[in-house]
Amino acid sequence: MMNRRSWMRWLGWVGCCWLTMGVGAPLAAAQESKVLRYAFEAAESGFDPAQISDFYSATLVAHIFDGLFEYDYLARPYKIRPNVATALPEVRDNFKTWTVRIRPGIYFAQDPAFKGQRRELVAQDYVYSFKRFFDPALKSPGYTSVSQLGVLGLEALRERALSRRLPFDYDSDVEGLRALDRYTLQFKLKEARPRLLYSLTGGDGLGALAREVVDFYGDKISEHPVGTGPFKLST
């Protein structure tokens, strides 16, 4: 007979989400050897990085979306290394200007939102994803943390939407967050921030989304995470 703890653990596994490894791999093939089952001890808040408010969802999302950098935990001492970036950031102006170059040839998982086309990760995807934290309509739990980075222009863009009661303008250019070209991303900050690199590390919060995926799923985006990471969500 199961004790209470064993019973609850069994229920957790039954109600878990599946992460299947391999972009676009058929689920049947993935189930043989490439499925990670992750049990939640509480209900998820969704799988949209800008709207996550719980630890379990963030843990899962970190394996779906790619941050610019990642931790190398096997190094002693541990260190930060490039993930989708080609190298660590180029830093100028006393830690106020940060330039990141993204590796070409990284693709999002296959999804109906892309209409059968392969979709490459580009710098503009990070511009769009960062802006989503400032969209008042999303009421992002991560807004305060991202706002504290002091990226020039993002707060003003948010205030414009609030004061005029208009939809957030994702197409408006801001000084502090730009795609200089297809693979080059630049941040400009109000103040020196030597530790910005740590904020740019990991995919649980600041991973890249493709705008067409958000447009395709609308208010159901939290149920359809589509990233460039090693896993995709199956239920």
Side-chain angles (χ1 to χ4, degrees):
M1 179 178 296
M2 291 186 180
N3 59 30
R4 185 175 183 276
R5 178 171 297 180
S6 298
W7 175 252
M8 292 301 292
R9 185 181 296 114
W10 182 83
L11 286 178
W13 281 107
V14 170
C16 71
C17 291
W18 288 11
L19 287 175
T20 60
M21 181 180 290
V23 174
L27 179 58
Q31 287 176 341
E32 294 179 5
S33 60
K34 296 182 179 180
V35 173
L36 171 65
R37 297 176 176 86
Y38 182 72
F40 283 19
E41 295 185 15
E44 73 280 0
S45 58
F47 305 112
D48 174 5
Q51 299 185 73
I52 287 174
S53 60
D54 72 287
F55 169 79
Y56 302 105
S57 299
T59 300
L60 188 148
V61 161
H63 294 82
I64 297 174
F65 296 97
D66 270 321
L68 293 164
F69 307 97
E70 64 182 1
Y71 287 100
D72 182 357
Y73 291 105
L74 297 181
R76 292 293 182 270
Y78 75 84
K79 61 183 180 181
I80 293 176
R81 63 188 179 189
N83 184 28
V84 301
T86 60
L88 295 180
E90 300 170 12
V91 184
R92 298 186 292 108
D93 303 330
N94 189 30
F95 296 100
K96 293 181 182 178
T97 300
W98 297 67
T99 303
V100 181
R101 304 187 193 282
I102 297 171
R103 284 189 288 116
I106 298 173
Y107 292 88
F108 285 91
Q110 295 175 6
D111 190 84
F114 300 132
K115 301 178 180 179
Q117 303 296 314
R118 294 188 74 193
R119 173 59 158 80
E120 188 180 25
L121 175 70
V122 296
Q124 189 62 42
D125 294 321
Y126 284 97
V127 173
Y128 172 71
S129 299
F130 271 70
K131 284 181 176 179
R132 295 185 74 242
F133 287 90
F134 291 80
D135 186 343
L138 297 182
K139 300 179 181 179
S140 173
Y143 158 69
T144 301
S145 296
V146 180
S147 178
Q148 289 175 350
L149 300 179
V151 178
L152 293 173
L154 285 181
E155 196 62 50
L157 200 61
R158 174 183 170 86
E159 289 302 319
R160 187 191 310 169
L162 287 169
S163 62
R164 299 180 183 179
R165 297 184 179 181
L166 294 173
F168 188 81
D169 186 3
Y170 285 96
D171 295 316
S172 182
D173 186 41
V174 296
E175 180 183 358
L177 183 60
R178 287 176 173 157
L180 302 184
D181 58 39
R182 186 171 178 83
Y183 304 112
T184 306
L185 179 67
Q186 185 180 79
F187 299 89
K188 287 190 176 181
L189 312 178
K190 296 178 184 178
E191 301 175 352
R193 187 169 289 274
R195 295 179 61 83
L196 178 67
L197 178 61
Y198 294 91
S199 299
L200 301 179
T201 299
D204 54 336
L206 299 179
L209 288 77
R211 184 170 182 173
E212 53 264 56
V213 173
V214 179
D215 292 342
F216 185 83
Y217 289 109
D219 60 3
K220 301 293 185 181
I221 185 60
S222 289
E223 303 171 19
H224 299 278
V226 180
T228 60
F231 290 90
K232 63 179 183 178
L233 180 68
S234 296
T235 56

